Amino acid sequence: MPFLELVNVKKQFGGVRAVDDVSLAVEEGEFLVLVGPSGCGKTTLLRMIAGLEETTDGTIIIAGKDVTAREPGDRDVAMVFQNYALFPHMTVFDNMSFGMRMAGVPKTEIESRVSEAARFLQLTDMLKRKPAQLSGGQRQRVAMGRAIVRRPNAFLMDEPLSNLDANLRVQMRAEISRIQKDLGVTTVYVTHDQIEAMTMADRVAVLHKGILQQAASPAILYDEPANVFVASFLGSPSMSLVEAGVEATASGVTLKVGPQSIQLSRADIERFPKLPALSGKRVVVGLRPEDIGVAEAQLPEPGYALFGDLPAQVVLTEMLGADEIVYAQVEADWVSSPQLRALLAAADPLTTADSDPSRKERRPLMICRSSRRTATVRRGDHIRLCADLTRLHLFDSSTGLSLRASGGSASSAAMAAPIARNITRKV
Ligand code: ATP
């Protein structure tokens, strides 16, 4: 039985639907991360779980009990906020023990719980200090300690690392994961940072405009995104997306990408059983940067196929040490549906700004990650691109939903749900 269940949960603030019919189950001990762009409803959803925000509709179940109408204090969950909300005039010990003292927990029990949590959080030598005498990371650990000593059924964390500098974030990321695994407490964690989501979570739930897009393990989200929004939002640099025509023939299926025809193998087609029926229609083709190569350097590597002679011109290169990221404009069509373009602009403003079809001189970008040992290209170079077609992603060009057979994604929620309310389901 799941530990936390959200059933058709909705939240309306006047004319704004902040959370739109979200259903999601979190297993006991699971680390679930809610992620999405600003304003997607993640904080509102977390506050509803905590009882700090009333639900407009739907049911919230914690440990088998319907808590939808219960006060926050009756839910046995502990919130950890972005601003640590420590009392500045109190010592670390007093901050950590405050809730227990208010609840009348005996002194010896308080001391034992605080010293256990302090040992765990490496704060033992700092119990007499005040918050002003601590670093940001230490303050965050005190805030965690205050939640841990309560021994709650669940932790609810709202962007707890966003006030820390980049190095400390990486360190605290690992620490929070370790603490959560050691304690085995069910945790729901909100962030807008996809790296945080992918590195910390057992499962990630992606939200956009209050709608749950997909909930799955980081690997499934990355390899089998349910729709173009998830595909574009997760991954850095993001997935390259272009529109292509489909032609089913007696010998198989051909994708027409710009001036090029790409013949798909039987195995490729098996992953997309709906594809032959889409003959004559358009689909959105997606490839991750690590699956695209500069043809002159990459071929003939096993698994790679020449992406026709897809004309491409390098507009930018980024040196990452061992690898180089090559941004190339290709002679192909970008996504034509205005609704999907709006979704993609929300998921990845950088790439879509360059691909805006209203700017006539612009062409869609394809982004490839090449080994610097094999590829040396420069801005302005004309190159040919190749791609690992076994890693191809295909999406419906009007609904944006994946055309992949859903068998491998049984754990993915929202596989067939609409991405946005104004896009009707077609597949
Ligand atoms: P961020 O990452 O920027 O914190 P978020 O994903 O956590 O964003 P929410 O804070 O949950 O998003 O807000 C979701 C939507 O609900 C937004 O459009 C926001 O403006 C709206 N909203 C949130 N709280 C209220 C409120 N009290 N009254 C009116 N609208 C609200």
Side-chain angles (χ1 to χ4, degrees):
M1 190 175 71
F3 181 74
L4 165 68
E5 259 183 290
L6 308 175
V7 187
N8 303 117
V9 170
K10 294 182 189 145
K11 180 69 188 180
Q12 193 82 27
F13 289 113
V16 178
R17 181 158 290 193
V19 173
D20 196 350
D21 207 11
V22 168
S23 293
L24 188 59
V26 186
E27 295 302 319
E28 184 150 18
E30 190 176 22
F31 196 132
L32 179 97
V33 175
L34 297 175
V35 72
S38 183
C40 70
K42 40 194 194 299
T43 295
T44 304
L45 190 55
L46 194 78
R47 286 171 59 79
M48 284 198 283
I49 299 169
L52 300 171
E53 203 76 71
E54 277 182 18
T55 53
T56 305
D57 203 358
T59 309
I60 299 175
I61 298 165
I62 298 179
K65 295 189 195 103
D66 181 347
V67 298
T68 320
R70 288 206 191 169
E71 291 297 313
D74 295 337
R75 298 190 181 200
D76 203 9
V77 295
M79 279 284 277
V80 180
F81 295 97
Q82 170 177 347
N83 51 355
Y84 326 118
L86 301 179
F87 296 113
H89 59 286
M90 285 187 196
T91 63
V92 168
F93 182 94
D94 288 344
N95 263 292
M96 280 169 69
S97 58
F98 182 77
M100 288 191 288
R101 283 186 280 132
M102 290 296 105
V105 176
K107 205 166 164 226
T108 50
E109 176 69 13
I110 290 179
E111 278 171 4
S112 133
R113 285 203 209 173
V114 171
S115 68
E116 187 193 342
R119 208 172 41 249
F120 202 66
L121 294 161
Q122 291 158 8
L123 289 170
T124 306
D125 296 338
M126 292 164 205
L127 288 173
K128 292 195 176 120
R129 290 199 203 171
K130 300 228 170 112
Q133 298 167 306
L134 301 174
S135 70
Q138 289 161 344
R139 276 181 228 162
Q140 188 50 261
R141 275 186 272 153
V142 177
M144 294 270 303
R146 200 174 38 187
I148 290 171
V149 292
R150 287 182 49 195
R151 299 195 176 151
N153 271 329
F155 290 134
L156 305 177
M157 303 195 191
D158 191 1
E159 306 243 13
L161 306 184
S162 54
N163 287 343
L164 305 180
D165 69 41
N167 284 343
L168 206 48
R169 278 179 86 112
V170 174
Q171 191 187 325
M172 284 302 293
R173 207 159 77 191
E175 264 186 56
I176 291 181
S177 294
R178 170 185 68 83
I179 292 165
Q180 194 274 339
K181 283 281 159 290
D182 287 354
L183 293 174
V185 178
T186 312
T187 301
V188 182
Y189 183 108
V190 160
T191 181
H192 63 273
D193 180 339
Q194 52 151 309
I195 311 263
E196 229 165 83
M198 298 292 270
T199 52
M200 296 174 86
D202 293 319
R203 219 152 43 100
V204 181
V206 183
L207 289 170
H208 177 55
K209 290 201 168 163
I211 298 175
L212 178 63
Q213 304 291 315
Q214 189 174 10
S217 69
I220 287 189
L221 277 187
Y222 192 78
D223 293 337
E224 300 175 26
N227 59 49
V228 287
F229 181 85
V230 178
S232 183
F233 184 73
L234 293 172
S236 180
S238 61
M239 185 185 283
S240 301
L241 296 163
V242 294
E243 212 171 85
V246 181
E247 266 182 30
T249 59
S251 56
V253 171
T254 302
L255 289 178
K256 305 281 277 181
V257 181
Q260 302 309 319
S261 297
I262 299 161
Q263 180 74 37
L264 295 184
S265 72
R266 193 182 300 267
D268 294 330
I269 299 162
E270 269 168 19
R271 286 186 294 129
F272 306 104
K274 296 170 192 149
L275 193 59
L278 292 173
S279 187
K281 301 223 166 79
R282 314 265 300 160
V283 291
V284 176
V285 176
L287 281 162
R288 296 231 177 255
E290 59 274 26
D291 303 323
I292 305 178
V294 178
E296 288 76 0
Q298 207 92 34
L299 287 172
E301 268 199 18
Y304 271 73
L306 188 60
F307 212 146
D309 266 324
L310 194 63
Q313 186 172 20
V314 178
V315 291
L316 178 71
T317 61
E318 285 175 347
M319 215 278 279
L320 298 182
D323 291 340
E324 189 162 54
I325 306 291
V326 178
Y327 296 77
Q329 277 179 347
V330 290
E331 216 170 284
D333 298 322
W334 200 49
V335 175
S336 59
S337 150
Q339 288 100 330
L340 291 193
R341 280 210 300 269
L343 277 167
L344 292 171
D348 175 34
L350 179 79
T351 315
T352 46
D354 261 8
S355 302
D356 183 351
S358 65
R359 299 170 68 179
K360 289 260 182 297
E361 80 281 15
R362 295 293 193 186
R363 290 278 179 194
L365 280 181
M366 282 210 166
I367 307 170
C368 78
R369 184 188 287 269
S370 306
S371 163
R372 277 180 65 228
R373 271 173 300 168
T374 52
T376 42
V377 294
R378 295 206 162 69
R379 183 182 156 80
D381 282 357
H382 290 271
I383 56 172
R384 293 180 308 152
L385 294 176
C386 61
D388 181 351
L389 296 181
T390 65
R391 308 274 304 164
L392 197 69
H393 299 264
L394 294 178
F395 304 93
D396 184 280
S397 62
S398 49
T399 64
L401 297 177
S402 173
L403 295 174
R404 179 185 285 277
S406 57
S409 299
S411 64
S412 286
M415 200 63 194
I419 310 178
R421 291 291 168 226
N422 57 353
I423 302 183
T424 45
R425 237 187 110 192
K426 281 207 179 153
V427 288

